[in-house]
Amino acid sequence: MIEPLAPSDSGAVAYARFAQARSCPVLAVVDPSGRPVGLIERNDFLTRLASQYGRAVYGPRPVVQMMTIDPIIVEADMRSGDFAEQALKDAPDALLKGFIITERGRYLGVGAVIDLLRAAIVERANITRDLSELTATLRDSNAELDRQRRLAETVIEHIPALITVRSESTGRRLMINSAGLSMLDAKIDNASRAAGIDLVLSAEGGRRINQLETFAAQAQPLRPHDFVMEHGGDELHGDRRKGQKTLRVTRVPMALADGERLSVTLAEDVTEMRLAASRIEQLAHFDTLTGLANRAHLNARIEAMLSAAREPNAAHEYEVALLAIDLDRFKWVNDTLGHDAGDLVLREVARRLTAELRAQDMPARLGGDEFAVAIAGAKAAAIAETIASRLVEQLGLPYVLGEKMIYLGASIGIATFPADACDLVELMKCADLALYKAKADGKNTWRRFSASLRAGLDRRSLLESELRLAMQRGQFLVHLQPIFHFGCNAVSGFEALMRWHHPEFGSIPPATFIPMAEEIGLIDKMGCWVLHEACRIAATLPEHLTMAVNISAVQFRLPSLASDVARVLERWGLPPERLELEITESVLIGDEAQALRAMKELQALGVRIALDDFGTGYASFSYLQKFPFDRIKIDRLFTQGILDNRSSMAIVSALAILAEKMDMRITAEGVETQAQLDAVRRLGCTEAQGYLIGRPGDDVWAHLPQDLV
């Protein structure tokens, strides 16, 4: 680095130093304070010192005489364009020289003016381009803003809600959208809409909107409130007035940048949403078929009743009573007449139920044919008994279904708080137990809960659990009951009857476990087992003996019934003509075409079909014409009365003649005395079955009297 020379230094010294720095094109000269005062350019200096003459002339001179006296000094923060403009104006000839760059008087370096001009030109070009681009950007931004504004206006106009804007300072309405006007059937002048301030509404429309805005102003901001508005007349329509709407109203305060405060009112039509919510509420708490409360709603109501009964200030005789109601023989309606008929019966039961109750009582449908009634108040237990008596009477009256008239009846169990139970769960258990007692006592009656019934409830629950395991534990047996043929005066076959022998409880009668199996869905699995076991046993008996097996309604309706029976026969090597399937009237009702197809498929295999319990239904005679039965079995009801009831005798005689004409065999069930046996023989029956012939047993063939074999 070469130290700067003072202005007073001689030219010889300057030359000597400048000569040492061959790569330095410019020599800066500063004053004693360090301020740059000028430049010595190498080209100019060397020209002057090109010869001895030049040395002699310039060498002795001070440096200041050898340099530019007024150098161009540029502050570092000066824009190149500004400097170039100033230089061209003040000293154009200086642009060919260099300049000194300083920062608040401190030397930073040197530069060429021509380079600065070049930079200024580039800078100006960049500025011009930037301005052009900025202009284009602003133009595009304005177009986008305009598009967004139009889009916002369109959206606001078509939002399915009323939107109004008012100035809080002037009270003037500044905006209202078309969708909202349409929602309220309000009219507005289009020219006034264009003005955007003085809106001209129809008188009725203005009244509605003012009413709505007033309601919104009184409500808490930003918190929706329902507002019911009626228009279009006062005609009653269901539970709502014609033209009535429910609006969800929200007020939103706003403040503009200029300080103006606005009040925005939003009103959304939620009529359908409220109706949907009401329907959902209805579905959640009420039975859709009958309109009665469902189980969940009943439980909530009983809990409320129990809470009221537990209050310290409750009356001493305040009680809660629960009636558990179950229809008798309703399954028969569904199985024989179909579910549509069953639904009609359930609706009629709900109507009769409601008609016999007080306004404060709570009827409910728990599911299927199960109903309940909750009663609360003073002496509720006594009131429940009175109501139960009336319900047994009313629900036992005939039900008319088209041209049919059926009789069902109802069994009712009653339990009360606090006498029988202390909470909801216990109350329901006790009512169910009383209901089981009513059914066990012959049905179509009511029973009160008693402590002695609790053991019975525990036994039933235990039996249900044991029944589910009985098959895999091998507790089921098939007992055979012989069928006596009058023509050959000997046993012609057997009927397979299912029995349950429990290792702890002993023999459990079919009347106990068969209905239970139907309730818990085991009857079809059990029926399949009986079919296999009966065919297995039949294959071990003499070839002239037949085997009859009962088939449930669900089994009979299976599309695979014929193929299933064929596999069972093949499995045990039993000829089809030795198997007879017994069905009841309930199997045939509902889909007669399907029943007829199933019967023909079975008979095509060689299997015979018998109609069991004939005479206890409501359309049995027509079935004899529609379906090709091989045998008719007369119900024991007619056999038991054949000696002292002329009607029973006439019916048996007529059926025997009819069966003979239609080439069917006829069997009299329930024969228990010799006189009954002689009577059914005399009246034309071909076969007889009953305790006189033989009781069901697991080895009845070995114990039959030889004169019957």
Side-chain angles (χ1 to χ4, degrees):
M1 177 177 177
I2 300 175
E3 296 181 2
L5 298 176
S8 59
D9 287 344
S10 66
V13 175
Y15 171 78
R17 294 196 177 180
F18 201 35
Q20 294 175 6
R22 293 289 182 181
S23 61
C24 180
V26 179
L27 183 67
V29 182
V30 298
D31 61 16
S33 64
R35 179 181 179 276
V37 295
L39 292 173
I40 301 176
E41 297 184 35
R42 180 172 292 278
N43 291 341
D44 182 34
F45 183 75
L46 291 178
T47 299
R48 294 181 184 184
L49 300 180
S51 63
Q52 292 293 332
Y53 172 77
R55 180 189 302 275
V57 173
Y58 293 103
R61 296 182 183 181
V63 174
V64 293
Q65 295 181 18
M66 299 172 61
M67 58 174 285
T68 302
I69 301 301
D70 296 317
I72 299 174
I73 300 175
V74 179
E75 287 292 326
D77 58 357
M78 179 178 290
R79 296 177 67 250
S80 58
D82 295 342
F83 167 72
E85 182 179 353
Q86 178 183 347
L88 287 172
K89 182 188 301 181
D90 297 340
D93 59 331
L95 294 178
L96 299 177
K97 300 181 179 180
F99 61 91
I100 301 171
I101 302 174
T102 64
E103 183 178 41
R104 292 186 294 278
R106 184 170 60 87
Y107 172 75
L108 295 179
V110 295
V113 174
I114 192 66
D115 293 335
L116 195 61
L117 283 176
R118 187 181 297 112
I121 292 171
V122 173
E123 182 180 349
R124 286 293 179 90
N126 290 340
I127 291 174
T128 302
R129 186 189 67 246
D130 292 345
L131 288 175
S132 176
E133 292 177 353
L134 179 60
T135 301
T137 301
L138 290 174
R139 184 170 58 250
D140 292 343
S141 297
N142 288 335
E144 177 63 18
L145 288 174
D146 187 58
R147 188 189 70 81
Q148 291 183 6
R149 179 183 57 79
R150 291 196 305 271
L151 176 62
E153 290 177 351
T154 303
V155 170
I156 291 174
E157 280 294 292
H158 293 87
I159 286 177
L162 176 71
I163 302 177
T164 68
V165 181
R166 273 187 182 275
S167 169
E168 291 192 355
S169 58
T170 65
R172 296 171 59 187
R173 185 180 294 112
L174 304 178
M175 191 201 78
I176 184 168
N177 65 332
S178 297
L181 291 170
S182 176
M183 184 176 72
L184 295 181
D185 294 334
K187 307 299 182 183
I188 186 171
D189 180 74
N190 287 331
S192 297
R193 170 180 289 282
I197 299 177
D198 296 324
L199 303 178
V200 180
L201 294 166
S202 65
E204 180 62 18
R207 183 190 68 80
R208 295 172 191 155
I209 295 174
N210 288 335
Q211 185 181 7
L212 185 69
E213 290 179 333
T214 301
F215 175 81
Q218 295 171 348
Q220 185 174 357
L222 305 178
R223 183 169 298 176
H225 296 267
D226 280 355
F227 176 82
V228 177
M229 177 171 286
E230 298 177 11
H231 60 88
D234 294 332
E235 179 183 346
L236 289 176
H237 183 72
D239 292 333
R240 303 183 64 83
R241 290 179 179 272
K242 182 179 179 180
Q244 187 181 72
K245 294 183 179 181
T246 301
L247 308 180
R248 185 169 60 187
V249 181
T250 308
R251 181 170 67 91
V252 181
M254 288 186 179
L256 301 182
D258 59 3
E260 183 178 5
R261 302 185 66 81
L262 305 177
S263 179
V264 180
T265 300
L266 307 175
E268 180 185 2
D269 188 347
V270 294
T271 307
E272 291 301 322
M273 185 174 70
R274 291 289 186 266
L275 289 175
S278 178
R279 287 192 290 268
I280 292 173
E281 181 77 7
Q282 182 77 12
L283 291 173
H285 294 92
F286 293 89
D287 175 52
T288 55
L289 178 64
T290 63
L292 299 180
N294 61 14
R295 185 184 295 272
H297 194 24
L298 175 70
N299 289 351
R301 182 68 175 273
I302 294 176
E303 289 285 15
M305 291 177 174
L306 294 174
S307 297
R310 295 187 186 104
E311 289 291 331
N313 57 349
H316 177 67
E317 295 181 338
Y318 191 98
E319 298 171 319
V320 178
L322 176 63
L323 283 69
I325 306 169
D326 194 77
L327 301 182
D328 301 329
R329 300 184 71 241
F330 179 74
K331 186 177 185 299
W332 177 88
V333 176
N334 275 340
D335 290 344
T336 58
L337 304 180
H339 289 280
D340 290 341
D343 289 348
L344 292 176
V345 170
L346 293 174
R347 292 192 187 99
E348 176 61 16
V349 168
R351 188 196 66 78
R352 297 183 189 183
L353 194 65
T354 305
E356 294 300 323
L357 299 178
R358 305 171 302 170
Q360 64 267 37
D361 299 332
M362 175 70 150
R365 181 188 175 210
L366 306 183
D369 61 339
E370 298 179 48
F371 294 81
V373 176
I375 300 172
K379 299 183 178 181
I383 296 172
E385 292 182 3
T386 302
I387 291 177
S389 298
R390 294 205 306 262
L391 289 178
V392 168
E393 178 183 353
Q394 291 299 314
L395 298 180
L397 295 176
Y399 296 81
V400 179
L401 302 175
E403 297 180 356
K404 299 181 183 297
M405 183 178 294
I406 63 173
Y407 293 82
L408 297 180
S411 299
I412 302 176
I414 304 174
T416 61
F417 168 91
D420 303 324
C422 59
D423 57 29
L424 171 64
V425 175
E426 190 69 17
L427 188 66
M428 287 190 163
K429 285 183 178 180
C430 293
D432 285 340
L433 185 55
L435 172 63
Y436 297 146
K437 177 62 175 174
K439 284 186 173 295
D441 288 350
K443 303 181 180 180
N444 199 36
T445 187
W446 64 268
R447 291 289 182 267
R448 277 286 306 269
F449 173 81
S450 63
S452 61
L453 297 179
R454 195 177 302 276
L457 177 62
D458 295 338
R459 175 180 171 81
R460 177 183 172 85
S461 299
L462 178 60
L463 282 179
E464 284 188 7
S465 300
E466 292 295 308
L467 182 59
R468 297 180 187 276
L469 301 172
M471 187 173 296
Q472 66 188 59
R473 291 175 175 174
Q475 295 174 0
F476 288 130
L477 302 172
V478 167
H479 284 188
L480 304 181
Q481 185 171 31
I483 301 172
F484 181 77
H485 193 281
F486 291 121
C488 61
N489 204 37
V491 170
S492 58
F494 296 92
E495 179 181 357
L497 301 172
M498 193 173 194
R499 294 294 183 264
W500 180 16
H501 182 77
H502 192 278
E504 180 181 351
F505 303 135
S507 295
I508 301 173
T512 298
F513 72 84
I514 293 296
M516 191 180 298
E518 291 176 346
E519 290 179 15
I520 63 179
L522 288 178
I523 191 65
D524 297 324
K525 184 180 294 185
M526 292 164 57
C528 182
W529 179 86
V530 170
L531 179 62
H532 271 273
E533 189 67 8
C535 289
R536 182 191 67 79
I537 296 173
T540 66
L541 300 178
E543 295 181 357
H544 69 282
L545 297 174
T546 62
M547 183 67 70
V549 181
N550 290 281
I551 296 293
S552 69
V554 179
Q555 276 181 286
F556 192 79
R557 292 181 182 131
L558 291 175
S560 61
L561 176 62
S563 58
D564 292 342
V565 171
R567 281 193 295 271
V568 174
L569 293 172
E570 183 180 2
R571 167 70 176 82
W572 299 112
L574 185 70
E577 61 272 13
R578 293 184 61 192
L579 177 64
E580 184 173 87
L581 300 181
E582 296 186 4
I583 62 176
T584 61
E585 179 185 317
S586 63
V587 173
L588 307 174
I589 309 251
D591 190 346
E592 294 184 354
Q594 185 275 334
L596 184 59
R597 284 195 302 270
M599 290 181 63
K600 289 182 177 180
E601 289 175 356
L602 291 168
Q603 289 175 329
L605 294 175
V607 175
R608 292 184 293 181
I609 307 295
L611 179 60
D612 195 14
D613 298 334
F614 184 82
T616 58
Y618 297 92
S620 296
F621 281 97
S622 65
Y623 294 150
L624 299 181
Q625 182 181 10
K626 293 178 182 178
F627 300 101
F629 295 107
D630 298 291
R631 182 205 299 264
I632 301 173
K633 301 187 74 173
I634 300 176
D635 188 79
R636 60 185 295 111
L637 173 68
F638 300 100
T639 303
Q640 296 295 316
I642 199 169
L643 299 177
D644 53 11
N645 188 309
R646 296 181 60 184
S647 296
S648 295
M649 185 181 300
I651 290 174
V652 172
S653 177
L655 286 174
I657 296 173
L658 182 64
E660 182 182 5
K661 297 295 184 183
M662 300 183 71
D663 196 24
M664 298 179 187
R665 291 178 295 168
I666 184 166
T667 301
E669 294 184 299
V671 176
E672 298 181 356
T673 66
Q674 185 64 44
Q676 291 173 348
L677 181 65
D678 295 339
V680 297
R681 185 203 301 264
R682 185 176 62 254
L683 292 174
C685 291
T686 54
E687 293 168 322
Q689 181 179 352
Y691 286 175
L692 177 67
I693 310 300
R695 292 177 176 271
D698 56 352
D699 194 15
V700 66
W701 172 252
H703 297 91
L704 279 176
Q706 290 301 308
D707 59 341
L708 295 181
V709 177

